[in-house]
Amino acid sequence: MRGSVVLSLCVLVLVQLSLQNTVKAEDGPVLQTKFGALKGEYVKAKGKDTVVHSYLGVPFVKPPVGPLRFSPPQPAEKWAGVRDATKQPFMCLQEKQIVEDLVANISMNIEVPDSSEDCLYLNVYTPSKPGANDKLPVMVWIHGGGLSMAAASLFDGHVLAAYQDVVVVLIQYRLGLLGFFSTGDEHAPGNYGLLDQVAALQWVQENIHSFGGDPGSVTIFGESAGGVSVSLHILSPLSANLFHHAIAESGTAAVDAIMSPNPLPTAQFVGNASGCDISSTKKVVDCVMQLTEDDILTLLKEHPMVHFGVTMDGWFLPKPVEELLQSQQFNKVPLITGITNDESGYMLPSFFSPQGWIDGMDMEQILPFLTIFNPTLQDQSIVELVLNEYLGTSPDRTKIRDGFREMLGDFMFNIPARKVANYHRDAGAPVYMYEFQHPPSLLQKKRPSFVGCDHGDEVIFVLGFCFADGRIKLEEELSEEENELCRTVMAYWGNFARTGSPNGLGLTEWPKFGAEAEYLSIGLEQKPSKDLKGKHFTFMTQTLPQIIKERKEGPLVHTKLGSLRGAFMTAKGKETVISSYFGVPFAKPPVGLLRLAPPQPAEAWQGVRDATKQPLMCLQARDLLLDLLANVSMNVEVPEVSEDCLYLNIYTPSKPGDNSKLPVMVWIHGGGFSAASASIFDGLVLAAYQDVVVVLIQYRLGLLGFFSTGDEHAPGNYGLLDQVAALQWVQENIHSFGGDPGSVTIFGESAGGISVSTLILSPLASGLFHRAIAESGTALWDGLVMGNPLLRAQNAAKICNCDSSSSSKIVDCIMRWSEEEVLECSKQFAMMHFSLALDSYFLPKPVEDIVQNQEFSKVPLITGITDDEFGFLLPAYFVGKGWIDGMNKEQAIKGLTLTYPDPRDRWIVDLVANEYLGDTRDPIQVRDIYREMMGDVMFNIPALQLAKYHSASGAPVYLYEFQHPPSMIQKNRPSFVGVDHTDELFFIQGTCFAKAHLKITAPFTKEEEELCRTVMGYWGNFARTGSPNGPGLTHWPEYEDEAEYLGIGLEQKTGKNLKRKHHAFMTKTLPDRIRQGREKTEHLEL
C-alpha cells in the first residue's frame, strides 16, 4: 500500500515536472484550423496553474496591400505546413517611435514590433488544449489609440484567459490614413479599419471553435478608440449576430471628436501635401494609392494634427450615430460601459496641451482645443457658457487647468458614455455602468499629485497585468490590494462574458443602470452609486441644447410698430445673455422728397422683421472708414452705404416680456458729422457688464445731414433732428426692450460728444433724456456753428455744378442728385465742412447765448478729454503725409482755420498761434506744439468751458482726463503719442471683452481689462444714479470751484484745474483781445 502511494506521488511529481518543462520548452502546441496548422506556445499567469495556449500573428484576411489598399478586407487564404504562431505580428502602419515613447512611461516591459501595411493578424489565448472541443466564452479585445496607433502586441490576453477560463482574442485593424482615409464618395468611402474588425469577428465565428471557443458566446470589449469601435459595432448592421455581449470602456460611438462628417477637405489636404492632382476625388485616391509606406509615415510625421475619423459610409455606418441611437436601430446586446474618474487627467493633456500646462493654464490656452474635442461649440457665446459651467470666473491658473481637464474628460468620454447608456437602457437592453476610481500605484507615482484615475488606467486590471508573466511584464509589483482588484475586475468582466451579467459569488452587487442612472464605483472597495457626472451631464445634454435652440431662433420682441426677431449674444467673461436687435427703423427712410427734410415717424410693418443684420451706413466715403479701421487692431463689420439709413441697434439684458425697467444708454457715434455708423460700435459688453439697455443710433451725415442755405429752403441740422427722432422713438418704444424711458442717458464721443452737448442746448430734445456724457467734443468749440451757411452752400453748388444763383435752385439741384452724385460731390469737402446752423427750432440761438442764459437741460453731466486729443489720428487726417517727422509754422497755423475759417479772422489765428508757438521754428517742437494747440482749441478748452457753465447752473458735473492708451494700438504709433482722440472708446464700450461682430485682433493686458471694468462701472453707475461713484471705485469728485477732475488710467487719480495755463488764455485773455480788436475795427469803420 505504502509503495503504491509512493509510486503515485512519484508519477504526480514527474507529471508536474513534465508540465513545467513543457511550458518552458521551445516546442509549443500545434493546432489544426481550416486554413492550416498553427504552432503556438505555452504560457502561464502568476498565481494560476492553468496553462494557456497562445497563437500569435494569425491571419484573418488577406494582406491589404497593393490594389487592396482602401478596399474592404478579403478572406484569408490557406497555407501549407505548420505556421509559426509564436511571434508578434507587425503593427499596422504608424510611427513606431511614438509608441515606444508611450510605452516608456507606463512601467511595463513590452515588445514593440515594427509597423507594416501587412498587419491584419490576431492573437489568440486559450485555456483549451487542441482537439478538446471545449466551448468556452470568447472575449475579443479591440485596442485603442485614437484609430491611429497601438497594436495587439501592446496587450496580452493570457492572464484573463487563465483566471476566467475564457478564450481571449486580440485583433489588429488598419489605422490612420490607411484605415480611415475617405473622400466621402465611392472612390474612398472610408472606415476600412472598422471593416477589418468586422472581418475579424467573422473569422471568430468561423474558426474559434478550433481554439475551444464558443462562437455563440462572443463578447467584444475595448478601451478608448477600442470602446468607440465596440459601440459602433452595436450600431452597425454588418456586425449583427457576430457578438453577444459588449464592453465599451472609456469610449463610445457618441464621441463626436472621432467622427469625420466631412472627410473630403482632409483627403484634399493629403493629396496636396503629397503632390497629387486634387481636381477630382478619383485622382486623389489613385495618387494616394501609389504612396509608399515611407511616404505615408513621412506625411503623418510632418502633419501630426491631420485627423482621419469615422465616416457615415452608408454601409458600415448607414446613418448618423445619433439617429441610429434615437431610433433604437442597433443590436440590443447586454452592455457594460464606463469611465475612469479623471479621463483627461494626464496622458491626453500631455499630448495636446502647451508646455508647462502642469503648473497651470490660462483661459486663452484652452480655447483652441474646445472645438476640436466638441465640434458643436462653434458659437463663441456658447463656448462662454460652457467655460463658465466648468471654470467659473476664477483667474486661478491651477483651477483653469483642472477645469479644462474635467471638461475634456466630459466631452470625450463621460457625457458620451452616459448618453449611450441611456439609449441602450431605453431600448430594453441590460446596461451596467461603472466609474473606475483607482489608478495603478506604479503609474501614479510618476504623475503629478493632482491626477486621479487617468484614461487607460483600468486596462491593467481588466487584462490582469498584475499577474502577467508572458511577453508583457510589470516593472514592479503592485500591492496586494491591487492584485485583489485585478481578480475582482477580471471576475466582473468574465462573469459578463459568460452570462451577460457581471455579478457573481464574492463580488459586490453591481446594479443595473436604470431610471436613477445607477453605476458601480470600482476601486480598492466597490460601491454602488447613482447619477454619474449628473450635474454636467444635465447641463451638456439638456440645458445647453435648449439654450442653443433658443439662441438659434433668437429673441422675438413685439413693438407697437411690429415684431422683431433678434439674436442672443454674450460678452467674454459674463454669463448674462444679451438680446440684440439690429437695423430697427426709427424714422421713414429720408429719401426722395424727404431728402433735406426733418425725419418723419417710422411706419408699422407686417410679420416679423429680421433684426439680425447690421443696417446700411448713412451715405459717406466707405473706403476712408475702412482705411481708418485698418489701424485700430479690430475686426469689425463695415456695411455698405445708403441714403436709407435711419436705423438703430439695441442691446438688452432683458428677455422679451420681462417688463424690466433698466436704465437706457443711447450712443451717438462720432466721425466729424461725415463718417461712421452704429455698426462700427458695439453695445454688447456694456449691456452685459452694467445691466443696462444700450441703443446705438445712426443719423444723416455730411452734405445730406448738415447742408444748409441758412433759410427755409434748407435750414440744416437734419442729422441732429434724426437724433431727436431717435430719442423720441426711445421714449415711445424702449419699454418693449426692458428699458426705462424715464432713465435715459445720452452719450457720445467727438462729433457724438458735440451732439450730446448740443442736445442739452436744444429745446426739441428737452425731456427726452435725463443724463448726458460728452466725450472729447462739446458744443462750445468755436468752429462748430457755420457763420455763413449760405456762402458755404453757394461754394458747394459751384464746385458740384449746380446753379448757385438762389438758395431754392441750389436745393432743387441737390434734390435731383443720385446717391452716387451726392458721394462724388461730398469728396470735395473735408470732415466738419458741413456742420451746425442756427435754424430757429433745433438751435434757435447762438450757443454762447443759450449757455450764458442757462437755457438748457440741467441734467447731470460727465464730460472729459484724453491727454493727447490731437496726438495722431487727427493730424494724420488734416495735415497729411510727413507730419510725424516735423512741421513748419505755416502748416501749424493753417490748422487753426478749421476753428476760425473766416479770412477776416486771420488776426485771431495769429493771436492763438503766438500764444502757443511764439518764436519756435524747430520742426519737431512745432509739431508737438501744434498737437497741443489743436487739442486745446477743438476739445480741451471747450470741455472745460462746458463743465464750468453746466456746473454754474446747479447741475452736477463730473470732469475726466483719460490717461491710458490701448497698448495694442499704442505700439503701432510713434512714441511721442499719448492718449489719442477716441482711445477711451475701447474701455467705455468694453472692447476688452467683445466677441460679437466687433473683435480685437491683439490682446489687452490684464490691467487694461480691469480698466475696462472700471470705466464701464463709472459710466453704468452714472446711467443708474446720475453719479459715477459706486463700491470698489476710486471716488470721482464733482466739478466745483477748483475745477476738480478724475485722471482715468491704470490707476485713477483726482486732480484740479486741468489745462490751467491755456484755459486762462483761451477763456479770458483771448476773448478780451478779440473784443478789443473788434471794437477798434468798428471805431475805424465809423
Side-chain angles (χ1 to χ4, degrees):
M1 180 72 176
R2 183 179 300 171
S4 170
V5 170
V6 170
L7 182 62
S8 296
L9 287 172
C10 288
V11 170
L12 182 60
V13 168
L14 286 170
V15 168
Q16 288 178 335
L17 286 171
S18 172
L19 186 58
Q20 287 174 2
N21 290 336
T22 302
V23 170
K24 293 177 182 177
E26 290 188 6
D27 57 323
V30 175
L31 180 76
Q32 192 66 42
T33 76
K34 71 176 186 177
F35 290 98
L38 293 166
K39 180 184 177 183
E41 60 185 356
Y42 301 114
V43 62
K44 285 176 67 176
K46 291 179 186 175
K48 270 287 181 184
D49 290 332
T50 307
V51 177
V52 173
H53 302 179
S54 74
Y55 303 91
L56 308 180
V58 181
F60 63 89
V61 291
K62 282 183 182 176
V65 297
L68 295 185
R69 179 184 284 182
F70 302 146
S71 291
Q74 301 300 305
E77 295 178 330
K78 294 182 179 181
W79 60 84
V82 178
R83 183 182 179 95
D84 182 9
T86 64
K87 296 182 178 62
Q88 292 286 5
F90 287 132
M91 302 190 297
C92 287
L93 206 62
Q94 59 192 281
E95 193 176 341
K96 183 181 178 184
Q97 187 61 52
I98 293 178
V99 180
E100 289 178 333
D101 292 345
L102 182 66
V103 166
N105 293 317
I106 59 174
S107 301
M108 288 193 284
N109 291 320
I110 300 178
E111 173 189 343
V112 179
D114 290 328
S115 74
S116 167
E117 197 169 355
D118 178 3
C119 65
L120 296 187
Y121 301 91
L122 49 78
N123 295 345
V124 182
Y125 301 84
T126 178
S128 176
K129 295 177 182 177
N133 294 322
D134 295 319
K135 293 191 76 174
L136 301 176
V138 182
M139 299 185 73
V140 180
W141 173 256
I142 306 174
H143 70 75
L147 303 181
S148 62
M149 60 179 289
S153 57
L154 305 186
F155 302 89
D156 194 327
H158 82 271
V159 181
L160 186 58
Y163 271 73
Q164 288 303 311
D165 202 32
V166 294
V167 178
V168 178
V169 182
L170 313 183
I171 69 172
Q172 298 197 149
Y173 53 97
R174 282 172 283 182
L175 301 169
L177 186 148
L178 293 177
F180 295 91
F181 177 86
S182 175
T183 53
D185 60 14
E186 72 279 7
H187 297 296
N191 294 345
Y192 310 110
L194 292 165
L195 295 175
D196 296 340
Q197 295 174 15
V198 172
L201 293 176
Q202 289 168 333
W203 183 96
V204 166
Q205 285 298 306
E206 296 169 12
N207 295 277
I208 206 67
H209 66 278
S210 301
F211 300 82
D214 180 1
S217 179
V218 175
T219 297
I220 56 174
F221 69 134
E223 186 271 343
S224 192
V228 173
S229 297
V230 165
S231 185
L232 286 168
H233 285 297
I234 292 172
L235 302 182
S236 178
L238 299 188
S239 307
N241 303 317
L242 297 181
F243 61 95
H244 312 92
H245 314 121
I247 306 175
E249 307 169 19
S250 298
T252 70
V255 175
D256 291 329
I258 212 159
M259 305 303 293
S260 183
N262 181 18
L264 182 57
T266 303
Q268 291 171 327
F269 176 85
V270 168
N272 252 332
S274 305
C276 299
D277 180 346
I278 63 167
S279 60
S280 73
T281 55
K282 184 178 186 305
K283 288 179 178 177
V284 173
V285 174
D286 288 346
C287 179
V288 177
M289 285 285 287
Q290 305 307 313
L291 298 180
T292 65
E293 289 188 357
D294 287 341
D295 291 337
I296 293 171
L297 289 173
T298 300
L299 175 76
L300 298 179
K301 194 170 185 177
E302 290 176 353
H303 304 284
M305 295 307 290
V306 175
H307 163 68
F308 301 96
V310 176
T311 61
M312 196 179 74
D313 58 3
W315 189 23
F316 177 85
L317 195 63
K319 297 177 184 176
V321 167
E322 191 76 13
E323 187 178 330
L324 291 170
L325 288 169
Q326 286 179 346
S327 62
Q328 299 183 358
Q329 296 177 42
F330 53 79
N331 300 311
K332 297 165 187 68
V333 295
L335 171 70
I336 287 177
T337 190
I339 55 175
T340 67
N341 71 3
D342 197 4
E343 284 285 7
S344 193
Y346 183 66
M347 182 173 70
L348 292 175
S350 296
F351 264 110
F352 298 111
S353 299
Q355 283 191 335
W357 73 272
I358 289 173
D359 301 320
M361 298 178 74
D362 297 320
M363 197 72 78
E364 292 72 21
Q365 290 177 303
I366 72 175
L367 288 174
F369 298 101
L370 298 191
T371 52
I372 295 174
F373 294 107
N374 192 331
T376 62
L377 298 180
Q378 299 299 327
D379 185 324
Q380 187 63 26
S381 66
I382 299 301
V383 169
E384 289 288 335
L385 283 174
V386 174
L387 289 176
N388 189 66
E389 167 75 8
Y390 283 91
L391 308 180
T393 57
S394 172
D396 186 291
R397 297 181 79 248
T398 58
K399 287 183 179 177
I400 292 173
R401 174 203 69 200
D402 293 339
F404 173 65
R405 291 165 50 242
E406 181 183 20
M407 187 163 46
L408 280 197
D410 278 0
F411 289 176
M412 292 282 288
F413 308 106
N414 306 336
I415 305 297
R418 275 283 309 256
K419 275 186 181 180
V420 166
N422 281 356
Y423 282 125
H424 219 75
R425 172 201 64 201
D426 295 344
V431 179
Y432 299 89
M433 194 164 195
Y434 70 85
E435 179 182 64
F436 216 90
Q437 299 179 338
H438 180 76
S441 54
L442 79 171
L443 297 183
Q444 190 67 353
K445 63 171 118 180
K446 292 187 173 184
R447 300 170 179 158
S449 58
F450 59 76
V451 181
C453 189
D454 197 14
H455 187 65
D457 276 1
E458 86 283 6
V459 174
I460 283 181
F461 301 97
V462 168
L463 294 179
F465 285 175
C466 320
F467 310 117
D469 197 22
R471 294 173 183 271
I472 295 180
K473 290 179 183 155
L474 300 182
E475 289 177 354
E476 57 185 88
E477 297 287 328
L478 293 177
S479 68
E480 186 47 48
E481 293 84 0
E482 288 176 313
N483 287 343
E484 186 56 36
L485 180 56
C486 266
R487 295 184 189 97
T488 297
V489 174
M490 287 192 291
Y492 279 131
W493 264 237
N495 289 341
F496 184 76
R498 275 183 288 277
T499 69
S501 166
N503 293 304
L505 292 175
L507 297 173
T508 300
E509 180 73 14
W510 186 336
K512 270 188 189 178
F513 181 87
E516 296 184 276
E518 298 88 342
Y519 68 98
L520 186 68
S521 298
I522 300 179
L524 298 183
E525 291 183 11
Q526 279 56 256
K527 295 177 185 175
S529 302
K530 297 176 181 178
D531 199 22
L532 180 59
K533 305 285 182 184
K535 176 178 178 288
H536 291 322
F537 178 73
T538 300
F539 175 80
M540 292 299 295
T541 61
Q542 296 176 33
T543 308
L544 190 64
Q546 181 62 29
I547 291 171
I548 292 172
K549 180 174 179 287
E550 289 176 359
R551 293 198 180 179
K552 193 172 181 181
E553 292 173 353
L556 179 66
V557 69
H558 303 290
T559 76
K560 69 177 189 178
L561 294 175
S563 298
L564 295 163
R565 175 72 73 183
F568 289 114
M569 299 178 168
T570 58
K572 181 181 173 187
K574 269 288 178 183
E575 266 189 275
T576 308
V577 178
I578 299 299
S579 300
S580 68
Y581 304 90
F582 295 160
V584 181
F586 65 85
K588 279 185 183 176
V591 298
L593 295 176
L594 295 183
R595 179 184 283 180
L596 303 184
Q600 301 300 305
E603 294 179 332
W605 59 86
Q606 298 297 314
V608 178
R609 183 183 178 95
D610 180 13
T612 63
K613 297 179 178 65
Q614 292 289 351
L616 297 175
M617 302 193 298
C618 288
L619 226 53
Q620 60 189 281
R622 183 171 180 266
D623 54 340
L624 290 179
L625 185 62
L626 290 170
D627 290 344
L628 178 68
L629 292 172
N631 297 314
V632 295
S633 298
M634 284 194 306
N635 283 330
V636 59
E637 178 183 339
V638 180
E640 298 297 327
V641 301
S642 170
E643 198 170 354
D644 177 5
C645 65
L646 296 188
Y647 301 92
L648 48 79
N649 293 347
I650 301 168
Y651 301 82
T652 176
S654 174
K655 292 181 180 176
D658 269 1
N659 296 319
S660 307
K661 293 193 77 175
L662 301 176
V664 182
M665 299 185 73
V666 180
W667 173 255
I668 306 172
H669 70 76
F673 292 130
S674 62
S677 65
S679 60
I680 66 168
F681 298 91
D682 191 342
L684 165 65
V685 182
L686 188 57
Y689 273 73
Q690 291 303 313
D691 201 31
V692 295
V693 179
V694 178
V695 183
L696 314 182
I697 69 172
Q698 298 196 151
Y699 54 96
R700 283 171 282 182
L701 300 170
L703 187 148
L704 294 182
F706 294 90
F707 181 84
S708 174
T709 54
D711 59 17
E712 73 279 8
H713 295 293
N717 295 341
Y718 310 110
L720 294 163
L721 294 174
D722 296 339
Q723 296 175 13
V724 171
L727 292 175
Q728 289 168 333
W729 184 96
V730 166
Q731 285 298 305
E732 296 168 13
N733 294 279
I734 206 65
H735 67 276
S736 299
F737 301 86
D740 181 1
S743 179
V744 176
T745 299
I746 56 173
F747 68 134
E749 186 273 344
S750 193
I754 291 173
S755 298
V756 166
S757 178
T758 309
L759 289 165
I760 291 173
L761 306 181
S762 176
L764 296 188
S766 179
L768 299 180
F769 59 94
H770 312 91
R771 300 177 249 291
I773 305 175
E775 308 165 20
S776 298
T778 77
L780 289 159
W781 171 46
D782 284 343
L784 176 62
V785 180
M786 293 184 288
N788 187 347
L790 179 59
L791 181 61
R792 287 199 194 187
Q794 289 169 332
N795 288 336
K798 290 173 184 173
I799 291 171
C800 297
N801 302 315
C802 285
D803 184 342
S804 62
S805 60
S806 71
S807 56
S808 64
K809 287 181 177 177
I810 296 172
V811 172
D812 287 345
C813 180
I814 292 174
M815 290 291 286
R816 290 193 298 270
W817 283 347
S818 66
E819 287 189 356
E820 289 73 20
E821 288 171 314
V822 173
L823 287 172
E824 193 59 37
C825 178
S826 299
K827 286 180 182 177
Q828 315 299 317
F829 308 107
M831 190 180 289
M832 301 295 295
H833 182 81
F834 299 106
S835 58
L836 275 66
L838 290 176
D839 61 0
S840 78
Y841 50 96
F842 177 84
L843 195 62
K845 299 178 185 178
V847 170
E848 192 75 15
D849 292 354
I850 297 172
V851 169
Q852 287 182 346
N853 296 330
Q854 297 184 355
E855 296 172 344
F856 53 78
S857 300
K858 298 169 184 66
V859 296
L861 172 71
I862 288 176
T863 191
I865 55 175
T866 67
D867 71 14
D868 197 3
E869 286 284 9
F870 231 76
F872 184 72
L873 182 74
L874 295 175
Y877 177 79
F878 286 110
V879 181
K881 291 180 180 177
W883 73 275
I884 290 174
D885 301 320
M887 295 172 63
N888 59 47
K889 208 165 181 178
E890 289 67 31
Q891 284 177 302
I893 291 171
K894 184 181 177 184
L896 290 172
T897 59
L898 192 63
T899 301
Y900 307 105
D902 192 331
R904 292 172 297 180
D905 289 340
R906 173 66 197 223
W907 61 280
I908 300 175
V909 169
D910 291 339
L911 285 174
V912 176
N914 188 61
E915 163 71 11
Y916 282 87
L917 290 162
D919 296 327
T920 304
R921 290 288 174 186
D922 178 76
I924 298 299
Q925 289 184 338
V926 171
R927 176 201 70 194
D928 292 340
I929 292 170
Y930 164 80
R931 291 166 47 240
E932 180 186 20
M933 175 177 71
M934 292 299 292
D936 280 357
V937 170
M938 293 190 70
F939 304 105
N940 304 337
I941 306 307
L944 297 171
Q945 284 182 290
L946 174 63
K948 182 180 177 182
Y949 280 125
H950 210 77
S951 179
S953 76
V957 176
Y958 299 88
L959 180 68
Y960 71 85
E961 180 183 63
F962 215 89
Q963 298 173 344
H964 179 79
S967 56
M968 83 279 196
I969 292 180
Q970 187 69 351
K971 65 186 177 186
N972 296 325
R973 300 192 292 216
S975 59
F976 59 76
V977 181
V979 185
D980 197 15
H981 190 64
T982 77
D983 275 2
E984 84 281 9
L985 295 184
F986 292 88
F987 302 97
I988 287 165
Q989 68 174 355
T991 310
C992 321
F993 309 115
K995 61 188 183 79
H997 78 280
L998 183 152
K999 297 187 189 78
I1000 55 169
T1001 56
F1004 285 85
T1005 65
K1006 295 294 182 188
E1007 294 80 6
E1008 287 176 320
E1009 289 186 353
E1010 190 54 40
L1011 179 56
C1012 269
R1013 295 186 188 95
T1014 297
V1015 175
M1016 288 191 292
Y1018 281 131
W1019 263 236
N1021 289 341
F1022 183 76
R1024 275 183 287 277
T1025 68
S1027 165
N1029 292 303
L1033 296 173
T1034 300
H1035 182 74
W1036 187 337
E1038 200 171 315
Y1039 178 95
E1040 293 180 317
D1041 294 340
E1042 294 186 276
E1044 296 89 341
Y1045 71 96
L1046 184 69
I1048 300 179
L1050 298 184
E1051 292 183 10
Q1052 280 54 256
K1053 296 176 183 175
T1054 57
K1056 298 177 182 177
N1057 296 310
L1058 185 60
K1059 308 283 182 184
R1060 174 186 287 178
K1061 174 175 177 279
H1062 293 313
H1063 179 254
F1065 170 79
M1066 293 296 294
T1067 60
K1068 295 176 183 175
T1069 308
L1070 182 63
D1072 286 345
R1073 291 186 184 177
I1074 290 173
R1075 187 177 61 257
Q1076 292 166 7
R1078 284 181 174 155
E1079 287 173 356
K1080 184 177 179 182
T1081 301
E1082 289 170 5
H1083 179 73
L1084 289 173
E1085 287 174 349
L1086 288 171

